[in-house]
Amino acid sequence: MPAVSLELDLNRYAPAAVRSILEARFPAALRRTLWVHPEDPETIQILDQRLLPHRLVIVEIRSAAEAAAAIREMWVRGAPLIGITAAYGVYLACLEARWSGSFPYETALRELREARPTAVNLAWALDHMAETLHGVPPEQRPERALEAAGALAEADVAICHAIGMHGLALLREAYARTGRTVQILTHCNAGRLACMEWGTATAPIYLAHQAGIPVHVWVDETRPRNQGASLTAWELGQAGIPHTVIADNAGGHLMQHGQVDLCIVGTDRTTRTGDVANKIGTYLKALAARDCGVPFYVALPSPTIDWTVRDGLAEIPIEIRSESEVLNISGFDPHAAQVREVRLTPPGTAGHNPAFDVTPARLVTGLITERGIAAASEAGLLSLFPERR
Ligand code: MRU
């Protein structure tokens, strides 16, 4: 079990107290989801996202196996963060291989690659690390790997900020058109917790809020793991951004009644033709948005584009997770002052839990990338990424 550096009960500490504890002891945690331990460069620190919004727990990752477990068990999650964690996992594997000549380096890398199947950022980051380390002598590998993983982390910050700037133009335009609070619907957590900073779908929202544009976010709870209710609501709350959690089934109704100006979601893998894999339920929101004439945007960092895939429905592997996530639900029980898991279904009921779905390109209004907003099509993406022709 990875060592715990900090554990705070968020139901007992006021946000200001949490902030001052972090400022004093873990300043990186105020901005980042993953960072190198300031006094021990052979340790990576992460937020354990499984415990938010009830407990803020910082854990130490010291081996490639721990990095793989953190991805597999969703201590870290969200396509960009999964990729960056894997890159640091390679760094840790390089360190382990330096200490022990018999360390099974290739097996450790395979374990990282197989940790989760849908987000393509994982394979992308591992391929990038392999290319960087090709031909580097083993004793120099840790240093090179650390540098390369750090560069990926910084690039993610820049990419998300650029997505934010392009998406901001859409929110500005919506505000200018309506003259009232811009209503945005989002699904799952494509926020700063899914990335290094900013987030993808949330970056335009953070920048609009900073620019004084009034925004309000409808946050889909996102069953079965509730990343919206637990993570997006938490991070928007921390940033002081007005938001309301809705049941997943409520979005269509809100759109029918003119209460959503636009949807912005993230993605775990987008094909070169613009089909979008994202958290399960995204497709239904896109269908409702199309029926109601609500623009449906996908915030898409370029490492999430799988240029090898054309047909998202046929070719993107969809992760099937444990049925227990559907049959049970966990949350804070104020009477017992603790987090509890309870069963929702009759004993013995079967559950099925596909974790992602694919929204066909035809339902997507635009792809907000770091290079601009593209039509969801091969021509649209190639106009921004001509080097992929
Ligand atoms: O299963 P998760 O929580 O890793 O799924 C995350 C999502 O589906 C996000 O919406 C997507 O990764 C985009 S993250 C910027």
Side-chain angles (χ1 to χ4, degrees), residues 305-322:
I305 305 171
D306 187 340
W307 295 100
T308 68
V309 165
R310 307 190 74 85
D311 180 344
L313 269 179
E315 297 177 73
I316 296 178
I318 300 295
E319 177 179 12
I320 305 293
R321 296 186 59 83
S322 162

Side-chain angles (χ1 to χ4, degrees), residues 74 76-80 82 116 119 187-191 194-195 199-201 225 227 231 265-268 277-280 282 299 301 319 321 355-356:
M74 294 181 66
V76 290
R77 40 146 304 283
I82 288 172
R116 292 192 73 193
H187 191 69
C188 193
N189 175 264
C195 305
T200 59
R225 284 185 70 101
Q227 289 95 328
L231 302 177
V265 301
T267 169
D268 297 83
N278 192 48
K279 181 54 56 191
I280 192 78
T282 303
E319 177 179 12
R321 296 186 59 83
F356 300 93

Side-chain angles (χ1 to χ4, degrees), residues 273-328:
T273 56
D275 292 341
V276 171
N278 192 48
K279 181 54 56 191
I280 192 78
T282 303
Y283 169 55
L284 289 177
K285 292 301 138 75
L287 281 174
R290 173 54 56 94
D291 189 47
C292 299
V294 172
F296 188 89
Y297 286 97
V298 176
L300 169 66
S302 58
T304 309
I305 305 171
D306 187 340
W307 295 100
T308 68
V309 165
R310 307 190 74 85
D311 180 344
L313 269 179
E315 297 177 73
I316 296 178
I318 300 295
E319 177 179 12
I320 305 293
R321 296 186 59 83
S322 162
E323 64 170 11
S324 71
E325 292 179 354
V326 177
L327 304 179
N328 304 308

Side-chain angles (χ1 to χ4, degrees), residues 196-236:
M196 282 284 99
E197 276 186 44
W198 296 109
T200 59
T202 53
I205 298 168
Y206 285 131
L207 290 172
H209 181 66
Q210 283 176 13
I213 297 169
V215 288
H216 169 264
V217 186
W218 296 111
V219 178
D220 280 352
E221 59 178 344
T222 321
R223 277 288 285 155
R225 284 185 70 101
N226 295 309
Q227 289 95 328
S230 55
L231 302 177
T232 306
W234 185 73
E235 68 163 83
L236 292 178

Side-chain angles (χ1 to χ4, degrees), residues 91-161:
Y91 159 59
L92 296 170
C94 292
L95 283 171
E96 291 173 275
R98 188 169 67 180
W99 305 142
S100 149
S102 62
F103 176 74
Y105 181 78
E106 294 303 332
T107 310
L109 261 53
R110 201 170 326 116
E111 198 188 346
L112 283 167
R113 196 174 284 272
E114 288 168 2
R116 292 192 73 193
T118 303
V120 76
N121 306 57
L122 178 59
W124 172 85
L126 291 170
D127 291 344
H128 176 80
M129 294 300 283
E131 241 170 68
T132 307
L133 296 173
H134 183 71
V136 177
E139 65 284 2
Q140 290 171 21
R141 286 180 154 221
E143 201 183 327
R144 288 287 284 280
L146 180 59
E147 216 176 79
L152 288 188
E154 295 312 315
D156 179 70
V157 177
I159 286 173
C160 288
H161 187 264

Side-chain angles (χ1 to χ4, degrees), residues 159-171:
I159 286 173
C160 288
H161 187 264
I163 287 174
M165 293 304 289
H166 294 298
L168 172 61
L170 296 172
L171 301 187

